[in-house]
């Protein structure tokens, strides 16, 4: 995710998901499996948890709603 935000600059979650899928190795099972509620893929959930951890450490910020950026 850090690589994605370095490459893209401030981005929406969808842009980050696309960049990571295109530029990193993502297990096919993570892309195919849905979360328990069926709303998202396991991959998207893992990216959001990574963002939360990085946000808690002050590495990622949200300058506006729906946008992620490096601090």
């Amino acid at each position: 995710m850090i690589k994605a935000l370095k490459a893209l600059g401030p981005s929406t979650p969808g842009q980050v998901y696309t960049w990571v899928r295109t530029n990193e190795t993502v297990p096919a099972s993570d892309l195919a499996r849905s979360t328990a509620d069926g709303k998202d893929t396991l991959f998207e959930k893992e990216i959001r948890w990574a963002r939360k951890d990085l946000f808690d450490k002050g590495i990622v910020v949200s300058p506006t709603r729906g946008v992620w950026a490096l601090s």
Side-chain angles (χ1 to χ4, degrees):
M1 187 174 149
I2 291 175
K3 288 181 187 178
L5 291 174
K6 282 183 181 179
L8 298 168
S11 307
T12 65
Q15 291 169 317
V16 172
Y17 301 153
T18 300
W19 191 95
V20 173
R21 274 194 302 266
T22 304
N23 296 285
E24 300 291 333
T25 303
V26 180
S29 61
D30 286 358
L31 295 171
R33 288 181 23 207
S34 294
T35 55
D37 62 11
K39 293 182 180 180
D40 298 303
T41 64
L42 184 58
F43 164 76
E44 292 167 339
K45 183 178 178 181
E46 289 173 354
I47 293 286
R48 284 195 307 278
W49 274 110
R51 180 249 174 222
K52 183 199 176 306
D53 290 341
L54 293 170
F55 181 85
D56 289 348
K57 293 176 183 176
I59 297 169
V60 170
V61 296
S62 184
T64 59
R65 187 169 196 260
V67 175
W68 301 346
L70 295 174
S71 59

